[in-house]
Amino acid sequence: MGLPLRVGVLILPEQRWSTARHTWRRAEELGLDHAWTYDHLAWRSLRDSPWFGAVPTLAAAALATQRIRLGPLVASPNFRHPVAFAKELISLDDLADGRLTLGIGAGGEGWDATVLGHPAWSRRERGERFAEFLELTDLVLRQPETTSRGTYYSAHEARNHPGPVQLPRLPFAVAATGPQGMRLAAIHGQTWVTTGDRTRTGPIAAPAGAAMVAEQISRLNEACVAVGRDPGDLDRLVVMGPILDPGLTSVEEFRDGAGRYAEIGITDLVVHWPRPDGVFAGDARLFEHILESVL
């Protein structure tokens, strides 16, 4: 019997394409519903290790696969502008023949926040920028021409030809845990994304993790009602690890955990493709066995 939700995988953009190509194709062969990659210029403990750009990686993955949905998880305003990014998204959606989902969030305070030479933004400014970034990206993807002036991001006669394959635009998966972010997810998102409570350390097993996420969903539902949206119209995606334990030690544990998250209304789970060592280390053969057994 299959799982009561969709399952995706997050593949770090750290391998040369001659090797990475096989991982993306294997993700599709395993029957996964979606595959993602991180959108950073440098990331945590892997800052001085091989790391490739998300957009070229997704472009290659789009041409190497046929069915699986693809996207960044998540992009942020840290080093992007809505007009230029929208053009890249239109191109990716074309290459993927309408299989692209934009995972997007406010961004963090790591190296990406200062790599362009400016000080890290305050939490308030980061939230304001995220709201403007989302709104302008949405407009540029929907409209043939956009002129808009904001505090942080503007567009002057920005063209959108031929536009995305998916109309009126490709779906947004908005990562948010706070009130402002959840409001933006309710307004702009087709999917809400969480990694759990970011003030907690993990790994947190499925019973406690599902309870944590259920509390977040309660606040998300309130945000939906406040903007006049049916909460049931919004998909809910949980990224497993490092806060939430993915339960990848056995078929039974993974199936039980997936069931617990499905019971609270989660529609999608994302796990990390195992690395040989360090962060997200795991047994690739066991990982594939579990997915082959449950999908």
Short mmCIF file of all heavy atoms in Angstrom, two decimals, residues 13-58:
data_model
loop_
_atom_site.label_atom_id
_atom_site.label_comp_id
_atom_site.label_asym_id
_atom_site.label_seq_id
_atom_site.Cartn_x
_atom_site.Cartn_y
_atom_site.Cartn_z
N PRO A 13 23.52 20.46 -4.35
CA PRO A 13 24.20 20.70 -5.64
C PRO A 13 25.72 20.68 -5.48
O PRO A 13 26.42 21.67 -5.75
CB PRO A 13 23.70 22.10 -6.02
CG PRO A 13 23.54 22.79 -4.71
CD PRO A 13 23.07 21.73 -3.74
N GLU A 14 26.25 19.54 -5.07
CA GLU A 14 27.67 19.47 -4.71
C GLU A 14 28.49 18.55 -5.61
O GLU A 14 29.71 18.48 -5.46
CB GLU A 14 27.79 19.00 -3.26
CG GLU A 14 27.15 17.65 -2.99
CD GLU A 14 27.28 17.21 -1.54
OE1 GLU A 14 28.23 17.67 -0.86
OE2 GLU A 14 26.46 16.41 -1.09
N GLN A 15 27.84 17.85 -6.53
CA GLN A 15 28.58 16.93 -7.39
C GLN A 15 28.65 17.46 -8.82
O GLN A 15 27.72 18.14 -9.28
CB GLN A 15 27.90 15.56 -7.40
CG GLN A 15 27.90 14.87 -6.05
CD GLN A 15 27.19 13.53 -6.11
OE1 GLN A 15 26.18 13.38 -6.79
NE2 GLN A 15 27.70 12.55 -5.39
N ARG A 16 29.72 17.16 -9.50
CA ARG A 16 29.79 17.50 -10.93
C ARG A 16 28.67 16.78 -11.66
O ARG A 16 28.27 15.67 -11.28
CB ARG A 16 31.15 17.13 -11.50
CG ARG A 16 32.28 17.97 -10.93
CD ARG A 16 33.55 17.89 -11.77
NE ARG A 16 34.62 18.70 -11.22
CZ ARG A 16 34.76 20.01 -11.43
NH1 ARG A 16 33.89 20.63 -12.21
NH2 ARG A 16 35.76 20.68 -10.90
N TRP A 17 28.18 17.42 -12.71
CA TRP A 17 26.97 16.90 -13.36
C TRP A 17 27.16 15.49 -13.91
O TRP A 17 26.21 14.71 -13.98
CB TRP A 17 26.50 17.85 -14.47
CG TRP A 17 25.20 17.39 -15.03
CD1 TRP A 17 24.93 16.93 -16.29
CD2 TRP A 17 23.95 17.31 -14.32
NE1 TRP A 17 23.62 16.57 -16.41
CE2 TRP A 17 22.99 16.80 -15.21
CE3 TRP A 17 23.56 17.62 -13.02
CZ2 TRP A 17 21.66 16.59 -14.84
CZ3 TRP A 17 22.25 17.43 -12.64
CH2 TRP A 17 21.32 16.90 -13.56
N SER A 18 28.37 15.12 -14.28
CA SER A 18 28.60 13.77 -14.79
C SER A 18 28.21 12.72 -13.74
O SER A 18 27.82 11.60 -14.09
CB SER A 18 30.07 13.60 -15.17
OG SER A 18 30.91 13.87 -14.06
N THR A 19 28.27 13.09 -12.46
CA THR A 19 27.84 12.20 -11.37
C THR A 19 26.42 12.52 -10.93
O THR A 19 25.59 11.63 -10.74
CB THR A 19 28.79 12.34 -10.17
OG1 THR A 19 30.12 11.98 -10.57
CG2 THR A 19 28.35 11.44 -9.02
N ALA A 20 26.11 13.81 -10.78
CA ALA A 20 24.80 14.22 -10.27
C ALA A 20 23.67 13.79 -11.18
O ALA A 20 22.56 13.51 -10.72
CB ALA A 20 24.77 15.72 -10.07
N ARG A 21 23.91 13.73 -12.47
CA ARG A 21 22.86 13.34 -13.43
C ARG A 21 22.21 12.03 -13.03
O ARG A 21 20.98 11.88 -13.08
CB ARG A 21 23.47 13.18 -14.83
CG ARG A 21 22.49 12.68 -15.87
CD ARG A 21 23.20 12.22 -17.14
NE ARG A 21 24.00 13.28 -17.73
CZ ARG A 21 25.33 13.22 -17.88
NH1 ARG A 21 26.00 12.16 -17.43
NH2 ARG A 21 25.97 14.20 -18.44
N HIS A 22 23.01 11.07 -12.58
CA HIS A 22 22.48 9.75 -12.23
C HIS A 22 21.58 9.83 -10.99
O HIS A 22 20.59 9.10 -10.89
CB HIS A 22 23.63 8.78 -12.00
CG HIS A 22 24.57 8.67 -13.17
ND1 HIS A 22 24.20 8.10 -14.37
CD2 HIS A 22 25.85 9.11 -13.33
CE1 HIS A 22 25.22 8.16 -15.22
NE2 HIS A 22 26.22 8.77 -14.62
N THR A 23 21.90 10.73 -10.06
CA THR A 23 21.08 10.87 -8.85
C THR A 23 19.71 11.42 -9.20
O THR A 23 18.68 10.92 -8.72
CB THR A 23 21.78 11.78 -7.84
OG1 THR A 23 23.09 11.27 -7.55
CG2 THR A 23 20.98 11.86 -6.55
N TRP A 24 19.66 12.46 -10.02
CA TRP A 24 18.38 13.04 -10.40
C TRP A 24 17.53 12.05 -11.19
O TRP A 24 16.32 11.94 -10.98
CB TRP A 24 18.60 14.32 -11.22
CG TRP A 24 19.11 15.46 -10.38
CD1 TRP A 24 20.42 15.73 -10.06
CD2 TRP A 24 18.33 16.45 -9.72
NE1 TRP A 24 20.50 16.83 -9.25
CE2 TRP A 24 19.24 17.31 -9.03
CE3 TRP A 24 16.98 16.73 -9.65
CZ2 TRP A 24 18.80 18.41 -8.28
CZ3 TRP A 24 16.54 17.82 -8.91
CH2 TRP A 24 17.44 18.64 -8.24
N ARG A 25 18.16 11.31 -12.08
CA ARG A 25 17.41 10.30 -12.84
C ARG A 25 16.92 9.19 -11.93
O ARG A 25 15.81 8.68 -12.08
CB ARG A 25 18.29 9.74 -13.96
CG ARG A 25 18.49 10.70 -15.12
CD ARG A 25 19.38 10.10 -16.16
NE ARG A 25 19.45 10.95 -17.35
CZ ARG A 25 20.30 10.78 -18.35
NH1 ARG A 25 21.17 9.76 -18.31
NH2 ARG A 25 20.29 11.60 -19.39
N ARG A 26 17.75 8.82 -10.96
CA ARG A 26 17.36 7.76 -10.05
C ARG A 26 16.17 8.20 -9.19
O ARG A 26 15.29 7.39 -8.87
CB ARG A 26 18.56 7.38 -9.16
CG ARG A 26 18.28 6.22 -8.21
CD ARG A 26 17.93 4.97 -8.97
NE ARG A 26 17.69 3.85 -8.06
CZ ARG A 26 16.81 2.88 -8.28
NH1 ARG A 26 16.08 2.89 -9.40
NH2 ARG A 26 16.67 1.90 -7.43
N ALA A 27 16.15 9.49 -8.80
CA ALA A 27 15.02 10.00 -8.03
C ALA A 27 13.72 9.81 -8.80
O ALA A 27 12.69 9.43 -8.23
CB ALA A 27 15.24 11.48 -7.72
N GLU A 28 13.76 10.04 -10.09
CA GLU A 28 12.56 9.83 -10.90
C GLU A 28 12.22 8.35 -11.02
O GLU A 28 11.05 7.95 -10.92
CB GLU A 28 12.76 10.44 -12.29
CG GLU A 28 11.54 10.33 -13.17
CD GLU A 28 11.63 11.22 -14.40
OE1 GLU A 28 12.38 10.87 -15.33
OE2 GLU A 28 10.95 12.26 -14.42
N GLU A 29 13.25 7.50 -11.20
CA GLU A 29 13.02 6.06 -11.32
C GLU A 29 12.39 5.47 -10.06
O GLU A 29 11.59 4.54 -10.14
CB GLU A 29 14.34 5.35 -11.62
CG GLU A 29 14.92 5.65 -12.99
CD GLU A 29 16.34 5.13 -13.14
OE1 GLU A 29 16.90 4.60 -12.14
OE2 GLU A 29 16.89 5.26 -14.23
N LEU A 30 12.74 6.03 -8.91
CA LEU A 30 12.22 5.51 -7.64
C LEU A 30 10.74 5.84 -7.44
O LEU A 30 10.11 5.32 -6.53
CB LEU A 30 13.03 6.07 -6.47
CG LEU A 30 14.45 5.51 -6.31
CD1 LEU A 30 15.22 6.33 -5.29
CD2 LEU A 30 14.41 4.04 -5.90
N GLY A 31 10.20 6.73 -8.26
CA GLY A 31 8.80 7.08 -8.15
C GLY A 31 8.53 8.28 -7.28
O GLY A 31 7.37 8.53 -6.90
N LEU A 32 9.57 9.05 -6.92
CA LEU A 32 9.37 10.25 -6.12
C LEU A 32 8.55 11.27 -6.89
O LEU A 32 8.61 11.34 -8.12
CB LEU A 32 10.73 10.83 -5.72
CG LEU A 32 11.49 10.01 -4.67
CD1 LEU A 32 12.97 10.32 -4.71
CD2 LEU A 32 10.93 10.28 -3.28
N ASP A 33 7.80 12.07 -6.15
CA ASP A 33 6.91 13.05 -6.78
C ASP A 33 7.61 14.34 -7.15
O ASP A 33 7.23 15.00 -8.13
CB ASP A 33 5.73 13.36 -5.85
CG ASP A 33 4.85 12.14 -5.63
OD1 ASP A 33 4.10 11.80 -6.55
OD2 ASP A 33 4.93 11.53 -4.55
N HIS A 34 8.61 14.73 -6.36
CA HIS A 34 9.33 15.96 -6.67
C HIS A 34 10.76 15.86 -6.18
O HIS A 34 11.08 15.08 -5.26
CB HIS A 34 8.64 17.19 -6.06
CG HIS A 34 7.89 16.93 -4.79
ND1 HIS A 34 8.50 16.78 -3.56
CD2 HIS A 34 6.56 16.82 -4.54
CE1 HIS A 34 7.60 16.59 -2.61
NE2 HIS A 34 6.40 16.59 -3.19
N ALA A 35 11.64 16.65 -6.82
CA ALA A 35 13.06 16.69 -6.46
C ALA A 35 13.51 18.14 -6.43
O ALA A 35 13.15 18.93 -7.31
CB ALA A 35 13.90 15.88 -7.45
N TRP A 36 14.30 18.49 -5.43
CA TRP A 36 14.67 19.87 -5.16
C TRP A 36 16.17 20.00 -4.96
O TRP A 36 16.86 19.00 -4.72
CB TRP A 36 13.97 20.37 -3.89
CG TRP A 36 12.52 20.07 -3.79
CD1 TRP A 36 11.94 18.87 -3.43
CD2 TRP A 36 11.42 20.95 -4.08
NE1 TRP A 36 10.57 18.98 -3.45
CE2 TRP A 36 10.22 20.25 -3.84
CE3 TRP A 36 11.35 22.29 -4.48
CZ2 TRP A 36 8.97 20.82 -4.00
CZ3 TRP A 36 10.11 22.87 -4.64
CH2 TRP A 36 8.94 22.15 -4.40
N THR A 37 16.65 21.24 -5.00
CA THR A 37 18.03 21.49 -4.60
C THR A 37 18.09 22.79 -3.81
O THR A 37 17.21 23.64 -3.94
CB THR A 37 18.98 21.55 -5.81
OG1 THR A 37 20.33 21.42 -5.35
CG2 THR A 37 18.82 22.84 -6.60
N TYR A 38 19.11 22.94 -2.98
CA TYR A 38 19.29 24.17 -2.21
C TYR A 38 19.71 25.30 -3.14
O TYR A 38 20.45 25.08 -4.10
CB TYR A 38 20.37 23.98 -1.15
CG TYR A 38 19.94 23.23 0.08
CD1 TYR A 38 20.87 22.88 1.05
CD2 TYR A 38 18.62 22.88 0.30
CE1 TYR A 38 20.51 22.20 2.21
CE2 TYR A 38 18.24 22.21 1.45
CZ TYR A 38 19.19 21.86 2.40
OH TYR A 38 18.81 21.20 3.53
N ASP A 39 19.27 26.51 -2.82
CA ASP A 39 19.64 27.69 -3.59
C ASP A 39 20.47 28.61 -2.71
O ASP A 39 19.94 29.54 -2.10
CB ASP A 39 18.38 28.40 -4.11
CG ASP A 39 18.72 29.56 -5.04
OD1 ASP A 39 19.81 29.54 -5.64
OD2 ASP A 39 17.89 30.48 -5.17
N HIS A 40 21.77 28.31 -2.62
CA HIS A 40 22.70 29.11 -1.82
C HIS A 40 23.97 29.34 -2.63
O HIS A 40 24.27 28.61 -3.59
CB HIS A 40 23.08 28.37 -0.54
CG HIS A 40 21.95 28.18 0.42
ND1 HIS A 40 21.47 29.19 1.23
CD2 HIS A 40 21.20 27.08 0.71
CE1 HIS A 40 20.47 28.73 1.97
NE2 HIS A 40 20.28 27.46 1.67
N LEU A 41 24.73 30.35 -2.24
CA LEU A 41 26.06 30.54 -2.80
C LEU A 41 27.10 29.79 -1.99
O LEU A 41 28.16 29.42 -2.51
CB LEU A 41 26.40 32.04 -2.85
CG LEU A 41 25.47 32.88 -3.75
CD1 LEU A 41 25.90 34.33 -3.72
CD2 LEU A 41 25.47 32.34 -5.18
N ALA A 42 26.81 29.59 -0.73
CA ALA A 42 27.63 28.77 0.17
C ALA A 42 26.72 28.32 1.29
O ALA A 42 25.77 29.01 1.65
CB ALA A 42 28.81 29.56 0.72
N TRP A 43 27.01 27.15 1.86
CA TRP A 43 26.07 26.60 2.84
C TRP A 43 26.79 25.95 4.01
O TRP A 43 27.50 24.96 3.86
CB TRP A 43 25.15 25.58 2.17
CG TRP A 43 24.05 25.11 3.06
CD1 TRP A 43 22.91 25.79 3.40
CD2 TRP A 43 23.98 23.85 3.74
NE1 TRP A 43 22.13 25.03 4.25
CE2 TRP A 43 22.76 23.84 4.47
CE3 TRP A 43 24.81 22.73 3.80
CZ2 TRP A 43 22.37 22.75 5.25
CZ3 TRP A 43 24.43 21.65 4.59
CH2 TRP A 43 23.21 21.67 5.30
N ARG A 44 26.64 26.54 5.16
CA ARG A 44 27.04 25.98 6.46
C ARG A 44 28.40 25.30 6.42
O ARG A 44 29.39 25.88 6.00
CB ARG A 44 25.93 25.03 6.96
CG ARG A 44 24.59 25.74 7.13
CD ARG A 44 23.56 24.82 7.77
NE ARG A 44 22.25 25.47 7.79
CZ ARG A 44 21.17 24.90 8.31
NH1 ARG A 44 21.24 23.69 8.86
NH2 ARG A 44 20.01 25.54 8.29
N SER A 45 28.45 24.04 6.87
CA SER A 45 29.73 23.35 6.98
C SER A 45 30.34 23.00 5.63
O SER A 45 31.50 22.60 5.56
CB SER A 45 29.55 22.06 7.80
OG SER A 45 28.61 21.20 7.17
N LEU A 46 29.59 23.18 4.54
CA LEU A 46 30.10 22.84 3.21
C LEU A 46 30.56 24.08 2.45
O LEU A 46 30.70 24.05 1.24
CB LEU A 46 29.01 22.11 2.41
CG LEU A 46 28.48 20.83 3.06
CD1 LEU A 46 27.41 20.20 2.18
CD2 LEU A 46 29.60 19.84 3.32
N ARG A 47 30.77 25.17 3.18
CA ARG A 47 31.13 26.44 2.54
C ARG A 47 32.37 26.32 1.66
O ARG A 47 32.46 26.94 0.60
CB ARG A 47 31.36 27.51 3.61
CG ARG A 47 31.67 28.88 3.06
CD ARG A 47 31.97 29.87 4.18
NE ARG A 47 32.15 31.20 3.67
CZ ARG A 47 32.55 32.24 4.41
NH1 ARG A 47 32.81 32.06 5.69
NH2 ARG A 47 32.70 33.44 3.89
N ASP A 48 33.34 25.55 2.09
CA ASP A 48 34.60 25.42 1.35
C ASP A 48 34.69 24.11 0.57
O ASP A 48 35.77 23.65 0.22
CB ASP A 48 35.78 25.53 2.33
CG ASP A 48 35.85 26.90 2.97
OD1 ASP A 48 35.65 27.90 2.25
OD2 ASP A 48 36.08 26.97 4.20
N SER A 49 33.52 23.52 0.31
CA SER A 49 33.43 22.28 -0.47
C SER A 49 32.78 22.59 -1.81
O SER A 49 32.24 23.67 -2.03
CB SER A 49 32.60 21.24 0.30
OG SER A 49 33.18 20.96 1.56
N PRO A 50 32.83 21.65 -2.76
CA PRO A 50 32.19 21.88 -4.06
C PRO A 50 30.71 22.25 -3.90
O PRO A 50 29.99 21.63 -3.11
CB PRO A 50 32.36 20.53 -4.77
CG PRO A 50 33.58 19.93 -4.16
CD PRO A 50 33.54 20.35 -2.73
N TRP A 51 30.29 23.25 -4.66
CA TRP A 51 28.90 23.71 -4.57
C TRP A 51 28.55 24.42 -5.88
O TRP A 51 29.22 25.37 -6.27
CB TRP A 51 28.72 24.65 -3.39
CG TRP A 51 27.29 24.90 -3.02
CD1 TRP A 51 26.47 25.88 -3.50
CD2 TRP A 51 26.50 24.12 -2.12
NE1 TRP A 51 25.22 25.78 -2.95
CE2 TRP A 51 25.21 24.71 -2.09
CE3 TRP A 51 26.75 23.01 -1.33
CZ2 TRP A 51 24.18 24.20 -1.30
CZ3 TRP A 51 25.73 22.51 -0.55
CH2 TRP A 51 24.47 23.09 -0.53
N PHE A 52 27.49 23.96 -6.54
CA PHE A 52 27.11 24.50 -7.84
C PHE A 52 25.82 25.32 -7.73
O PHE A 52 25.07 25.20 -6.77
CB PHE A 52 26.96 23.37 -8.86
CG PHE A 52 28.24 22.66 -9.15
CD1 PHE A 52 28.59 21.49 -8.47
CD2 PHE A 52 29.13 23.16 -10.09
CE1 PHE A 52 29.78 20.84 -8.73
CE2 PHE A 52 30.33 22.52 -10.36
CZ PHE A 52 30.66 21.35 -9.68
N GLY A 53 25.57 26.14 -8.74
CA GLY A 53 24.41 27.01 -8.75
C GLY A 53 23.11 26.23 -8.93
O GLY A 53 23.05 25.25 -9.68
N ALA A 54 22.05 26.70 -8.27
CA ALA A 54 20.78 26.00 -8.31
C ALA A 54 20.14 26.07 -9.69
O ALA A 54 19.58 25.08 -10.18
CB ALA A 54 19.83 26.57 -7.27
N VAL A 55 20.16 27.24 -10.33
CA VAL A 55 19.46 27.39 -11.61
C VAL A 55 20.08 26.52 -12.70
O VAL A 55 19.36 25.78 -13.39
CB VAL A 55 19.40 28.88 -12.02
CG1 VAL A 55 18.91 29.02 -13.46
CG2 VAL A 55 18.49 29.65 -11.08
N PRO A 56 21.41 26.53 -12.90
CA PRO A 56 21.97 25.61 -13.90
C PRO A 56 21.73 24.14 -13.55
O PRO A 56 21.50 23.31 -14.44
CB PRO A 56 23.47 25.94 -13.90
CG PRO A 56 23.55 27.33 -13.36
CD PRO A 56 22.44 27.43 -12.36
N THR A 57 21.79 23.82 -12.25
CA THR A 57 21.54 22.44 -11.83
C THR A 57 20.12 22.01 -12.19
O THR A 57 19.90 20.91 -12.73
CB THR A 57 21.77 22.28 -10.32
OG1 THR A 57 23.15 22.53 -10.03
CG2 THR A 57 21.39 20.89 -9.84
N LEU A 58 19.14 22.87 -11.91
CA LEU A 58 17.75 22.54 -12.23
C LEU A 58 17.53 22.50 -13.74
O LEU A 58 16.70 21.70 -14.22
CB LEU A 58 16.82 23.56 -11.58
CG LEU A 58 16.74 23.47 -10.05
CD1 LEU A 58 16.02 24.68 -9.48
CD2 LEU A 58 16.03 22.18 -9.63
#
